Amino acid sequence: MVLEGNPEVGSPRASDLRHPGTQGSCVLSSPGEDAQPGEEPIKYGELIVLGYNGCLASGDKGRRRSRLALSRRPHANGVKPDVMHHISTPLVSKALSNRGQHSISYTLSRSHSVIVEYTHDSDTDMFQIGRSTENMIDFVVTDTSPGGGAAEGPSAQSTISRYACRILCDRRPPYTARIYAAGFDASSNIFLGERAAKWRTPDGLMDGLTTNGVLVMHPAGGFSEDSAPGVWREISVCGNVYTLRDSRSAQQRGKLVENESNVLQDGSLIDLCGATLLWRTPAGLLRAPTLKQLEAQRQEANAARPQCPVGLSTLAFPSPARGRTAPEKQQPWVYVRCGHVHGYHGWGCRRERGPQERECPLCRLVGPYVPLWLGQEAGLCLDPGPPSHAFAPCGHVCSEKTARYWAQTPLPHGTHAFHAACPFCGAWLTGEHGCVRLIFQGPLD
């Protein structure tokens, strides 16, 4: 396919186009090699969707799951910018008709478009994320409802793009992963219409933002016991970093942040306006607790034989293998304002304050009274500490460091709001701290 280039502007070749997102120390890896048969695939990292606690309610199936590992492909499928064309609208359909040619089309007006063709990049692997179930999407993500429910069925009101974003991973160490807004559709195109935010960069290239944007937050201090939330930024189609717009769909972009890059770090959060994903590196996952450790902690907590301080019955966390349906008879419950743990009882209701409001019989504080559930998605935990704290008001239990980190991490909600939420179920956190230290009573004997 040959397109007429604007003779005044010219058609830059690959050597004239810098690779998107290569700011600061971010550089491409040296050429990669195809994986050998029988060789253990190299893992670049894992994506975990917040709000599902380890598995979709209907089960993880294929590309529709709560967690996805990105590994080196047998053959590189990455792409990089090659040629830029300034064309008139009648030629747009011709430019976008070649399914074997990746391209990004920027519509400037009804009579003027800029098309950037992309060419194969043997140095990188590309993974695409979005709501579409078409084959080019590697990770199918749908809206997660705040308040503890996951919207697993098709949603006519979904704000997640069908082709939300793409991640390019270097095939050579250190296997750097970079994120870009928008993904290529079935025709290998990304199309930014007249109303999309787009602009010409100082070096004569094009860049733009998707309708609802792709936001990224890198934690300060890494994803560890010393972590603190970072600053939310917006990632452009070419991988550049900008401050947030006034609202998610505003046409005016934020300011370019030149000292930051689109390189994903351990603990980076990716928000797609309807679902938030956590990126974990292989090194970071080695520091996280394993499912065996979580199970050992559950058994250790039950072996301590905690008792209800009023009913004197022995409490026990249920096995996650049974699934979360309804609280079991021995399940511990907590008053989320004070942290006192009891067995279930029917007294102390304050109906004038709401059906869940109860008065703790030990300290008389009135607040939600909910069953406790162990957090089962190990990748969301900052450390393997004991399950000592619970989120309010949902009752999901994890370590103190994990609870305090997520309680102070604002997650995007809607077009311009932010709210801390439980990473295990997505429920908005309430109370002064968003979590509470659990106070168990041991056996009297």
Side-chain angles (χ1 to χ4, degrees):
M1 178 179 68
V2 179
L3 293 177
E4 292 292 331
N6 187 323
E8 297 181 359
V9 178
S11 299
R13 301 304 303 180
S15 59
D16 301 319
L17 292 171
R18 62 178 174 83
H19 192 281
T22 55
Q23 303 174 4
S25 60
C26 309
V27 295
L28 288 175
S29 302
S30 55
E33 298 177 353
D34 293 339
Q36 300 299 318
E39 181 183 346
E40 185 71 19
I42 294 172
K43 183 188 291 186
Y44 298 130
E46 293 193 20
L47 289 168
I48 304 171
V49 187
L50 304 189
Y52 291 95
N53 201 20
C55 184
L56 302 183
S58 58
D60 289 349
K61 301 171 184 176
R63 294 171 296 143
R64 182 85 206 289
R65 52 201 312 111
S66 66
R67 183 172 183 160
L68 181 72
L70 274 56
S71 301
R72 189 165 71 171
R73 299 183 185 277
H75 304 283
N77 74 328
V79 293
K80 58 185 177 182
D82 185 26
V83 183
M84 184 171 67
H85 301 278
H86 288 254
I87 62 176
S88 58
T89 302
L91 289 174
V92 172
S93 59
K94 179 181 178 181
L96 302 181
S97 61
N98 186 350
R99 293 186 174 225
Q101 177 71 62
H102 288 79
S103 65
I104 300 181
S105 173
Y106 302 86
T107 302
L108 303 181
S109 68
R110 294 184 179 181
S111 60
H112 185 199
S113 294
V114 175
I115 293 182
V116 178
E117 292 183 0
Y118 278 63
T119 188
H120 175 68
D121 183 6
S122 60
D123 294 340
T124 61
D125 286 335
M126 181 171 66
F127 303 87
Q128 301 209 132
I129 305 164
R131 179 169 46 88
S132 172
T133 58
E134 296 175 273
N135 291 333
M136 83 292 303
I137 298 298
D138 299 283
F139 195 14
V140 179
V141 178
T142 53
D143 298 69
T144 303
S145 300
E152 295 198 27
S155 173
Q157 302 298 321
S158 177
T159 49
I160 300 176
S161 171
R162 290 180 299 162
Y163 318 105
C165 67
R166 62 197 191 279
I167 294 176
L168 266 66
C169 301
D170 289 350
R171 290 172 60 83
R172 286 284 193 176
Y175 307 114
T176 303
R178 299 177 178 86
I179 184 169
Y180 304 82
F184 294 99
D185 62 18
S187 299
S188 301
N189 299 309
I190 294 174
F191 183 81
L192 297 180
E194 283 190 69
R195 296 185 179 181
K198 54 192 168 308
W199 57 91
R200 194 185 307 276
T201 61
D203 48 8
L205 305 179
M206 294 297 300
D207 202 354
L209 304 173
T210 54
T211 301
N212 289 326
V214 174
L215 308 187
V216 172
M217 187 271 279
H218 305 302
F223 197 68
S224 64
E225 298 182 19
D226 300 321
S227 292
V231 179
W232 282 99
R233 304 296 194 193
E234 181 162 12
I235 302 297
S236 72
V237 171
C238 291
N240 294 308
V241 182
Y242 291 85
T243 59
L244 301 187
R245 291 179 270 181
D246 291 337
S247 66
R248 289 296 286 254
S249 57
Q251 288 190 301
Q252 182 63 39
R253 71 177 187 272
K255 296 181 180 179
L256 177 66
V257 185
E258 296 185 1
N259 62 339
E260 297 182 18
S261 78
N262 62 340
V263 172
L264 294 176
Q265 307 168 13
D266 187 42
S268 291
L269 289 172
I270 305 167
D271 187 81
L272 306 179
C273 196
T276 304
L277 286 63
L278 173 70
W279 172 258
R280 296 304 311 268
T281 62
L285 288 171
L286 289 177
R287 297 190 297 267
T290 64
L291 290 178
K292 287 185 178 180
Q293 288 176 315
L294 292 180
E295 174 59 19
Q297 289 179 347
R298 185 188 72 87
Q299 294 182 7
E300 183 178 351
N302 291 344
R305 295 173 57 215
Q307 289 191 341
C308 173
V310 177
L312 303 182
S313 58
T314 300
L315 309 177
F317 286 101
S319 169
R322 302 180 186 179
R324 176 176 176 174
T325 53
E328 298 186 1
K329 184 177 181 180
Q330 288 185 293
Q331 185 139 3
W333 287 61
V334 66
Y335 288 91
V336 296
R337 284 198 61 194
C338 59
H340 286 117
V341 179
H342 292 68
Y344 179 76
H345 53 74
W347 62 79
C349 295
R350 296 293 185 184
R351 300 194 182 280
E352 71 278 5
R353 299 276 297 273
Q356 282 191 312
E357 297 290 305
R358 301 283 190 95
E359 182 182 86
C360 175
L362 297 185
C363 66
R364 301 301 183 187
L365 280 178
V366 177
Y369 176 62
V370 298
L372 291 175
W373 304 93
L374 289 172
Q376 292 299 316
E377 178 49 83
L380 300 176
C381 301
L382 274 75
D383 67 334
S388 60
H389 285 63
F391 289 107
C394 60
H396 276 102
V397 180
C398 58
S399 70
E400 178 180 5
K401 295 285 188 179
T402 299
R404 295 197 184 281
Y405 174 79
W406 289 108
Q408 62 180 340
T409 300
L411 300 178
H413 168 66
T415 58
H416 56 269
F418 291 81
H419 205 293
C422 170
F424 300 108
C425 70
W428 292 0
L429 302 185
T430 59
E432 182 180 356
H433 302 291
C435 61
V436 64
R437 182 176 67 87
L438 298 176
I439 304 173
F440 289 92
Q441 175 173 296
L444 298 179
D445 55 356

